[in-house]
Amino acid sequence: MRQSKLFMPTLKEAPTDAVAKSHQLMLRGGYVRQVTAGVYSYLPLGYRVLKKAERIMEEEMAKINVPEMAMPDLLPASLWEESGRWQKYGPEMFRLKDRHGRLSLLGPTHEETFTEIVAKNLKSYKQMPIALYQIQTKFRDENRPRFGLLRTREFIMLDAYSFAATPEQLDQQFDDEKRAFEAVFRRCGVKVTPVIADSGTMGGKNSTEFQAPAAIGEDTIATNDKGTYSANLEMAVSEDTFKQAKEEPLELEKVATPGQDTISALASFLEIPATRIVKSVLYIIDESKHVLVLIRGDKEINEVKLIHLLDADSVRIATDDELEEITGVTKGSVGPINAAWADTILADDTVKNLYNVVVGANENGFQFKNANLKRDFQVEQFNDLRVANEGEPDPVDHLPLKFTTSIEVGHIFKLGTYYTEKMGADFLDQNGKAQPVIMGSYGIGVTRVLSAVIEQHATERGIAWPKEIAPFALHIVQMKNNDEQQTELAEKLEQKYSADYDVLYDDRNERPGVKFADADLVGAPVRVTIGKKASEGIVEVKRPNDEKATEMTLAELDDFVSKELG
Ligand code: 9G3
């Protein structure tokens, strides 16, 4: 490709509102341009990388015998009413009316569509296991799109769906997809960690996310050094290291603690450690139930674990007004003693073996000291409801948990029969009995992968693309575009290497400084500079992370290219 013909509108500086490295470099290098909030165009450089990533995905899916297909993005609301998700999703779903006033939506994901088109056509166990996938645009009206392609309102996803007659077949499909995805990330040059993850409102209890460590990431993963435990912090389990020595229960005593409505204020006011306080938080479950959750004062409640425990659609902390209305007291004085207004009282395991604790007295500005479980307050059940802390032992090898910020680039689920039951996709099993098809769903955020690669491989100067998805593998930069000998050599090398590699030939009439700065933004694995020594058959070769270029003869260049680019 001649660079004089490549539309690559570079910027000297990224706009100030671009804070993510990948966002800055994709804008500066002319990879993408924003059309509106969270909606991007892919210019030639960005498009080439996108297509290379997609080709890798197509190859890896073909290896596990999963054929590609395409579902529409304009979907009838009726399909989503059948699964019950039309009502479940809020403003995030793009809804529209067609010219006949029929309610429609732009597909944010395609479980319903694949259930309708595929699962409903699988009438016999003999037709399964089978899986299909697509690589396609998804629409989600994110409240705050940001960080370039990391969180957009329109993005490209590989989404695969598997259909099985037995749980064992699903397990096998899940493993096949997991391995295929790991191969995709490896070839795209994205370092990922598969972690235990929340399956949200999808079917099934938990799922696996592929998390790419990166400072800009919005997720936090907890892992041990041995790599035997990795979980999204939402799901991470840790062992509680605090132990309170057994104490004789003392007499319950009401104390005035005016204005102390945080744990730390209360701890310093009463001159006690936070571990001697039991925090009481009132939650509104599915906008209807009032559940009081207790946890030791030094821990935080994990709302994902709470949602799972209660199998709820939504949980949220009662607002101050709601709290007063329901309990009659203000925040900080709420407690489990005489809490008749609570539908249930749940507690994190850290509350189990505590003695003589401080709890809210359900009277404004008062606490109870020396409260003891059973004698003074009851708990319906104990569960792990806390957010794991860095450094606490993991539940497998009891090694200190390390936290890393990361980007979710993939997510795979064992859906089970959640959709097929709702939408009546049954098959006849070996005994001729009708059963709902068992599904799995698997996704890769394709456009997110591009950002993750840059976040993991970029320097301030530019991008060092892994060779399999670099927009160009070999970048020939000619110093003086009107120098006969340089042009002759450049065209010769372009001719020679174009047969095996994607070659970009910078034939522009630009100053060297501009050419090198642009070359850093293209980030080709091998850059060949044609300069004064062209007549001697000497060129300069540089890789993105080399400090400086190396002089080479054409023969040496040949060896270098086949070594570097395969
Ligand atoms: C919606 C909206 C947003 C959504 C969903 C539905 C996320 C939704 C989860 C998934 C699950 C899997 C197939 C590939 C792998 C991920 N955001 N999810 O279902 F209506 Cl507005 O997308 N889908």
Side-chain angles (χ1 to χ4, degrees):
M1 167 65 68
R2 295 296 170 98
Q3 201 158 335
S4 57
K5 298 294 175 221
L6 177 72
F7 178 61
M8 178 185 163
T10 55
L11 301 173
K12 273 239 169 319
E13 299 295 324
T16 45
D17 67 342
V19 294
K21 230 179 347 182
S22 51
H23 190 193
Q24 293 166 348
L25 288 166
M26 280 199 253
L27 290 175
R28 284 190 48 223
Y31 285 79
V32 299
R33 279 295 180 270
Q34 179 175 303
V35 178
T36 182
V39 180
Y40 283 83
S41 60
Y42 303 97
L43 306 185
L45 270 189
Y47 191 72
R48 291 180 77 93
V49 177
L50 196 53
K51 281 298 157 193
K52 291 200 173 179
E54 290 179 2
R55 196 167 314 128
I56 288 170
M57 293 171 196
E58 286 158 3
E59 287 168 5
E60 293 305 326
M61 294 304 273
K63 281 183 197 168
I64 57 168
N65 282 307
V66 175
E68 186 169 7
M69 62 176 286
M71 289 297 189
D73 254 318
L74 179 59
L75 303 171
S78 52
L79 209 51
W80 284 62
E81 280 160 347
E82 262 189 84
S83 70
R85 293 213 291 178
W86 174 257
Q87 300 75 353
K88 188 174 278 190
Y89 281 88
E92 197 185 351
M93 183 188 283
F94 277 105
R95 301 166 204 261
L96 65 152
K97 276 204 177 76
D98 66 16
R99 61 189 303 170
H100 305 293
R102 275 186 297 243
L103 277 173
S104 312
L105 69 138
L106 295 181
T109 180
H110 284 74
E111 278 78 8
E112 285 79 357
T113 326
F114 275 82
T115 302
E116 177 70 18
I117 302 292
V118 181
K120 282 191 175 174
N121 282 299
L122 302 172
K123 296 320 232 184
S124 158
Y125 69 96
K126 294 174 191 158
Q127 296 170 275
M128 288 179 273
I130 190 170
L132 295 141
Y133 82 100
Q134 61 179 352
I135 297 179
Q136 214 230 23
T137 306
K138 296 285 186 279
F139 296 87
R140 295 178 186 176
D141 201 357
E142 294 285 349
N143 185 26
R144 285 186 59 230
R146 57 185 184 154
F147 301 155
L149 298 189
L150 281 175
R151 184 168 287 280
T152 52
R153 296 194 295 154
E154 184 181 311
F155 59 96
I156 295 170
M157 185 200 276
L158 177 157
D159 46 328
Y161 301 83
S162 63
F163 307 87
T166 66
E168 294 71 26
Q169 288 178 356
L170 170 59
D171 292 347
Q172 184 56 56
Q173 292 172 313
F174 190 83
D175 288 350
D176 293 347
E177 294 282 352
K178 184 164 183 266
R179 264 202 312 282
F181 281 20
E182 284 168 342
V184 164
F185 295 123
R186 191 172 47 254
R187 292 179 59 189
C188 289
V190 189
K191 183 180 167 303
V192 297
T193 307
V195 304
I196 298 165
D198 171 32
S199 50
T201 59
M202 309 304 290
K205 265 292 151 250
N206 67 34
S207 56
T208 298
E209 279 171 351
F210 292 93
Q211 291 280 357
I216 198 76
E218 293 177 347
D219 284 343
T220 301
I221 58 175
T223 54
N224 67 16
D225 276 350
K226 250 173 100 180
T228 50
Y229 184 76
S230 308
N232 186 309
L233 184 56
E234 289 173 342
M235 298 289 282
V237 171
S238 65
E239 291 175 338
D240 180 26
T241 48
F242 175 80
K243 286 266 176 303
Q244 184 188 14
K246 194 165 171 22
E247 295 171 7
E248 282 312 306
L250 302 176
E251 199 173 324
L252 198 62
E253 183 193 334
K254 197 192 287 189
V255 292
T257 56
Q260 313 301 325
D261 59 3
T262 65
I263 294 298
S264 52
L266 199 54
S268 51
F269 181 82
L270 293 173
E271 293 174 346
I272 53 173
T275 49
R276 190 172 284 273
I277 298 172
V278 167
K279 186 172 12 179
S280 303
V281 182
L282 180 60
Y283 276 90
I284 311 288
I285 309 302
D286 290 342
E287 294 307 315
S288 54
K289 280 174 48 195
H290 305 151
V291 171
L292 190 65
V293 180
L294 311 183
I295 193 164
R296 205 176 61 215
D298 60 320
K299 296 292 168 197
E300 293 303 319
I301 293 167
N302 180 327
E303 296 186 355
V304 170
K305 292 181 183 176
L306 185 61
I307 267 201
H308 272 215
L309 174 67
L310 299 171
D311 201 11
D313 280 339
S314 72
V315 303
R316 63 180 177 80
I317 295 177
T319 63
D320 293 355
D321 293 347
E322 284 169 327
L323 186 78
E324 257 199 273
E325 192 192 312
I326 295 164
T327 67
V329 294
T330 53
K331 190 169 64 170
S333 302
V334 169
I337 298 176
N338 308 324
W341 34 262
D343 292 323
T344 28
I345 299 182
L346 305 175
D348 174 68
D349 294 328
T350 51
V351 174
K352 209 178 282 181
N353 305 312
L354 292 179
Y355 309 91
N356 300 316
V357 291
V358 168
V359 293
N362 284 325
E363 195 179 322
N364 278 347
F366 284 90
Q367 307 286 322
F368 276 122
K369 277 176 73 173
N370 307 327
N372 286 280
L373 209 54
K374 292 200 183 56
R375 186 190 74 181
D376 306 315
F377 62 98
Q378 290 71 40
V379 165
E380 180 162 307
Q381 60 179 8
F382 286 99
N383 292 89
D384 169 9
L385 291 174
R386 70 179 177 282
V387 176
N389 294 101
E390 192 158 22
E392 283 179 330
D394 78 73
V396 171
D397 282 320
H398 321 294
L399 297 168
L401 284 173
K402 295 225 167 354
F403 284 8
T404 317
T405 50
S406 59
I407 302 167
E408 177 195 335
V409 289
H411 200 166
I412 58 181
F413 297 78
K414 289 183 182 174
L415 290 180
T417 56
Y418 183 86
Y419 292 90
T420 48
E421 275 172 8
K422 295 247 182 183
M423 300 174 72
D426 291 346
F427 70 97
L428 291 182
D429 66 13
Q430 272 111 319
N431 315 320
K433 190 164 170 297
Q435 303 277 12
V437 171
I438 301 169
M439 285 177 67
S441 79
Y442 317 85
I444 293 180
V446 181
T447 36
R448 238 185 207 180
V449 163
L450 270 49
S451 295
V453 171
I454 299 177
E455 291 295 335
Q456 291 185 347
H457 291 270
T459 62
E460 280 325 296
R461 235 184 4 223
I463 304 168
W465 287 110
K467 63 180 182 227
E468 281 215 59
I469 63 166
F472 292 96
L474 192 69
H475 195 175
I476 299 169
V477 181
Q478 178 176 343
M479 286 295 91
K480 285 177 67 180
N481 76 314
N482 56 7
D483 176 308
E484 269 304 301
Q485 287 177 319
Q486 289 187 25
T487 303
E488 194 186 315
L489 178 54
E491 285 178 352
K492 185 177 144 212
L493 292 183
E494 181 193 35
Q495 181 71 32
K496 172 182 167 61
Y497 289 114
S498 294
D500 298 313
Y501 309 106
D502 285 338
V503 175
L504 178 63
Y505 167 15
D506 190 350
D507 60 342
R508 297 172 301 161
N509 178 9
E510 292 284 355
R511 286 180 293 99
V514 168
K515 295 194 172 199
F516 288 136
D518 289 357
D520 286 338
L521 293 170
V522 170
V526 175
R527 185 185 87 199
V528 181
T529 304
I530 314 271
K532 287 193 284 298
K533 299 193 175 180
S535 54
E536 302 162 47
I538 303 283
V539 295
E540 286 197 356
V541 184
K542 186 183 171 304
R543 290 167 299 190
N545 293 329
D546 290 344
E547 264 319 296
K548 58 181 188 43
T550 312
E551 283 197 351
M552 282 186 199
T553 63
L554 298 187
E556 287 164 338
L557 171 65
D558 221 15
D559 292 347
F560 185 83
V561 165
S562 45
K563 186 168 65 65
E564 272 307 303
L565 300 177

